[in-house]
């Protein structure tokens, strides 16, 4: 909370604004704990000192890479710096050893290619522009130098970019510690291909995010004494199970349902599936297809990822039989039976879906 004595006539300040969160201006009058501020937007406001913060007039227009160098590390100062850097196409900023990412809502493959990984390999932390690769390299170096486990916490609200950031961190660590296994599949490949599998069965479109993780995950990468990946373990938690049977418009259910409905004809025939819009668990929302996402090709990519991870064909078939059976169960409707408190499938359509679900569950 700001104190009364911090502001005088002519002070540059930030004041809360209902439309744009924070707006800057000059203090014109001071009346006790009330300030009259002439804002750069042209309007004049009266504000209590508790909702006003000092503005750093000497900060660079392009912002600073590390926000610990800001004169004032308060909310409007931080937001202004992030906005300035975003305007210069810089989506990453440090606050000490914390990396802040601003979601660009577009693909930027040039930021995450092999050339960039080579640049950050072994570079001093802070020597190059802020980047997830710098965070991953620092953790890797500390692990190798001190022989102790390291942890990287990725947090943020829905749509902030946690899923993508985690993938970048794993990509770099796999790059540093990759080695080829005897069967031709590298551990590096298996670690990275675990992401498409997890996303297919745990991610869905929400109002704010087309690929929102509806679960939490703890990823553990294991390294040997030479710094090479020797294994990996992923623990998932807090899966949003209620989404399976009830979704709201314009959200979607889990990606795997739509992928299976867009699978090649022979697979759809095996699981007795049709268009996604025919299933109650999917057509509760008007959003069936996603712009920029081809469910058919995503199905093929997911099956390939499952192969690389080591899930056998029989196990894959069992998994997709369960997915298909769930869709069929959602289409079963009941009506009153002849006995008290009894029910029977409503019609032939419900009978078909119930029988199909039983066949797929093999019961």
């Amino acid at each position: 909370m700001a104190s009364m004595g911090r502001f005088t006539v002519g002070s540059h300040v930030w004041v809360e604004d209902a439309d744009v969160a924070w707006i800057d201006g000059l203090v014109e009058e001071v009346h006790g704990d009330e300030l009259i501020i002439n804002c750069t937007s042209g309007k004049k406001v009266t504000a209590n000192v508790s909702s006003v913060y000092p503005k750093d007039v000497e900060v660079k227009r392009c912002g600073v890479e590390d926000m610990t160098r800001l004169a004032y590390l308060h909310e409007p100062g931080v937001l202004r710096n992030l906005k300035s850097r975003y305007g210069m196409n810089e989506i990453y900023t440090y606050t000490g050893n914390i990396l802040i990412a601003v979601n660009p809502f577009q693909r930027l493959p040039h930021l995450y290619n092999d050339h960039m990984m080579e640049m950050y390999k072994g570079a001093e932390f802070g020597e190059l522009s802020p980047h997830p690769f710098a965070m991953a390299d620092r953790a890797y170096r500390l692990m190798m130098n001190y022989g102790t486990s390291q942890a990287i916490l990725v947090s943020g609200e829905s749509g902030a970019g946690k899923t993508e950031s985690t993938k970048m961190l794993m990509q770099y660590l796999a790059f540093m510690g990759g080695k080829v296994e005897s069967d031709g599949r590298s551990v590096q490949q298996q670690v990275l291909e675990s992401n498409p599998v997890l996303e297919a069965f745990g991610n869905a479109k929400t109002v704010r995010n087309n690929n929102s993780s509806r679960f939490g995950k703890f990823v553990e990468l294991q390294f040997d004494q030479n710094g090479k990946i020797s294994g990996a373990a992923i623990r998932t938690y807090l899966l949003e199970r209620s989404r399976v049977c009830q979704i709201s418009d314009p959200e979607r259910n889990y990606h795997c349902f739509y992928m299976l409905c867009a699978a090649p004809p022979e697979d759809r025939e095996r699981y007795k599936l049709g268009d996604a819009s025919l299933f109650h668990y999917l057509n509760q929302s008007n959003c069936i297809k996603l712009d920029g996402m081809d469910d058919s090709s995503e199905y093929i990519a997911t099956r390939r990822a499952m192969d690389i991870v080591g899930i056998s064909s029989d196990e894959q078939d069992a998994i997709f039989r369960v997915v298909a059976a769930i869709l069929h169960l959602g289409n079963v409707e009941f009506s009153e039976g002849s006995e008290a408190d009894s029910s029977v499938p409503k019609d032939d359509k419900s009978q078909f879906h119930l029988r199909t679900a039983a066949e797929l569950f093999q019961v």
Side-chain angles (χ1 to χ4, degrees), residues 1 44 65 73 132 202-203 238 260 282 322:
M1 184 179 291
K44 194 172 288 189
E65 287 191 348
L73 197 58
N203 287 25
L238 300 177
L260 194 53
L282 308 183
V322 170

Side-chain angles (χ1 to χ4, degrees), residues 54-343:
K55 177 186 174 183
D56 181 7
V57 293
E58 296 181 2
V59 70
K60 299 176 185 176
R61 286 187 62 189
C62 59
V64 295
E65 287 191 348
D66 189 338
M67 291 195 289
T68 58
R69 287 157 44 194
L70 292 174
Y72 306 108
L73 197 58
H74 48 49
E75 183 179 320
V78 166
L79 293 177
R80 178 204 195 189
N81 191 68
L82 293 175
K83 184 177 181 181
S84 299
R85 288 181 57 73
Y86 189 76
M88 303 292 291
N89 295 317
E90 297 285 353
I91 63 172
Y92 295 114
T93 307
Y94 289 131
T95 302
N97 60 1
I98 298 169
L99 180 70
I100 296 176
V102 179
N103 193 338
F105 292 100
Q106 59 179 305
R107 296 287 175 186
L108 301 172
H110 67 282
L111 284 182
Y112 312 106
N113 54 28
D114 288 350
H115 172 68
M116 290 294 283
M117 288 191 281
E118 286 288 353
M119 281 180 58
Y120 281 89
K121 185 177 178 180
E124 284 292 321
F125 187 75
E127 179 184 328
L128 301 174
S129 298
H131 200 286
F133 292 165
M135 305 297 291
D137 188 78
R138 185 164 185 259
Y140 183 81
R141 299 293 163 193
L142 289 171
M143 177 193 71
M144 293 302 297
N145 292 340
Y146 294 100
T148 56
S149 298
Q150 303 294 313
I152 302 175
L153 175 66
V154 184
S155 67
E157 63 178 11
S158 181
K162 298 184 295 298
T163 297
E164 292 302 314
S165 294
T166 301
K167 284 194 279 190
M168 302 314 166
L169 294 166
M170 291 176 66
Q171 179 186 346
Y172 185 85
L173 291 170
F175 166 78
M176 292 296 290
K179 65 178 180 179
V180 178
E181 293 292 283
S182 57
D183 62 359
R185 284 184 318 204
S186 68
V187 179
Q188 175 185 3
Q189 275 183 299
Q190 291 177 302
V191 167
L192 296 180
E193 291 299 333
S194 67
N195 281 309
V197 177
L198 285 173
E199 288 182 22
F201 294 93
N203 287 25
K205 177 196 181 299
T206 62
V207 174
R208 303 181 63 182
N209 184 357
N210 279 3
N211 190 34
S212 180
S213 301
R214 308 316 300 158
F215 65 100
K217 65 181 174 184
F218 178 84
V219 183
E220 183 181 277
L221 300 182
Q222 298 148 356
F223 295 82
D224 62 22
Q225 290 182 328
N226 298 317
K228 297 299 181 183
I229 293 177
S230 58
I234 298 176
R235 297 175 182 84
T236 60
Y237 54 93
L238 300 177
L239 181 65
E240 185 185 51
R241 289 176 291 181
S242 59
R243 179 174 294 269
V244 172
C245 47
Q246 189 170 10
I247 53 173
S248 55
D249 199 42
E251 299 191 346
R252 288 210 323 174
N253 214 314
Y254 291 101
H255 296 323
C256 59
F257 293 117
Y258 304 90
M259 290 178 187
L260 194 53
C261 288
E266 60 272 18
D267 285 11
R268 290 204 306 271
E269 177 62 31
R270 186 188 315 156
Y271 304 120
K272 294 184 171 59
L273 294 174
D275 190 86
S277 61
L278 299 174
F279 294 94
H280 174 65
Y281 284 167
L282 308 183
N283 63 22
Q284 297 171 57
S285 167
N286 291 317
C287 182
I288 299 294
K289 297 188 182 299
L290 278 181
D291 292 337
M293 182 173 179
D294 181 1
D295 291 314
S296 180
S297 59
E298 290 292 333
Y299 172 78
I300 302 298
T302 300
R303 292 295 289 248
R304 185 172 62 248
M306 293 170 90
D307 285 333
I308 293 171
V309 169
I311 302 174
S312 69
S313 295
D314 288 345
E315 289 172 323
Q316 290 181 40
D317 180 58
I319 289 168
F320 284 110
R321 272 195 286 106
V322 170
V323 172
I326 290 169
L327 287 178
H328 285 291
L329 278 181
N331 278 17
V332 178
E333 295 182 80
F334 294 93
S335 58
E336 286 187 27
S338 56
E339 298 179 19
D341 298 327
S342 69
S343 59

